[in-house]
Amino acid sequence: MPELPEIVSRANEMRQALTGKVISAIEVLQPKCLNVPTELFISSLQGARILDVCNHGKWIFVETTQGYLLLSLGMGGEILLTTRARLPEKHRLIFDFEDGTCLSVNFWWFGYAHYAPPGELASHTMTARLGPNANAVSAGQLKEMLKGQRGQLKAFLLDQSKIAGIGNAYIHDILFLARLHPQRKIDTLSEAEIEALSKVIHDSLQFSIDKGGAFYELNLFGEKGGFVVEDIIIGYREGTACPVCATPIEKLKTGSTSSFICPQCQPLVK
Ligand SMILES: [Zn+2]
């Protein structure tokens, strides 16, 4: 499932490659991924010039002269810059450009391609209710956001309405590097622990962004991301030795998700 590093990488690639292109035609093979009727979606974006691409959490925002195209890959998918002659076998939407290239969008399971008219981005409830991008939250902001919270740390960090972009791929190493247990009660965190957590969130996400995201996602040109299995420190490494203290990594059930921790480095009670 793509998380912030993969989505930031896609948005960066799309900004560089797509800005200035004009959408000449749109083909929709999966109308249920849209938020408006197919004809309205097509007529709204046909003829639009792409101005910029950015991300909010796991959503990609394509800003055009005629409003926004908002893409969410859900569990995963491909956004590929290609041509009609080289279309991938699986695609749900095709955006043709005036220069003869096209953007092919595929969702592995289910995703969204939404339209927001100019000036109405704030009314798009699915993105309007997201918290700030995880890689843009300062230590001071994180302290403010955690103030008064009584829940468990991991649940907070995965709650996209609180802080957007972290999922169950990167969370294990983030908590390990911050030496914090996923079920740690937020109101017991010290200022120093929150500062360390903030730094680790930034560093971990940026490390993967610099590598173009995780290997299980393809970039805009069909190449795998450079963040490989060996870059994962303790996540999904149950039974292997902790790189710090050699204690075997444990897998825990934490609510609806699994967690991987070093019980020595990440004690629950301090
Ligand atoms: Zn350890």
Side-chain angles (χ1 to χ4, degrees), residues 119-125 128:
E120 291 184 31
L121 189 57
S123 321
H124 183 256
T125 48

Side-chain angles (χ1 to χ4, degrees), residues 143-194:
K143 277 181 208 168
E144 281 303 310
M145 290 159 67
L146 290 172
K147 204 173 277 181
Q149 296 285 333
R150 302 197 177 279
Q152 297 179 352
L153 181 58
K154 183 185 177 190
F156 178 92
L157 293 174
L158 292 189
D159 182 344
Q160 302 299 302
S161 71
K162 300 284 199 304
I163 181 165
I166 303 173
N168 220 41
Y170 293 97
I171 188 74
H172 312 297
D173 286 357
I174 286 172
L175 291 172
F176 171 73
L177 292 169
R179 302 179 71 88
L180 295 170
H181 192 285
Q183 291 171 316
R184 180 71 182 273
K185 288 268 189 285
I186 292 170
D187 57 8
T188 68
L189 290 168
S190 69
E191 293 225 337
E193 283 176 322
I194 296 173

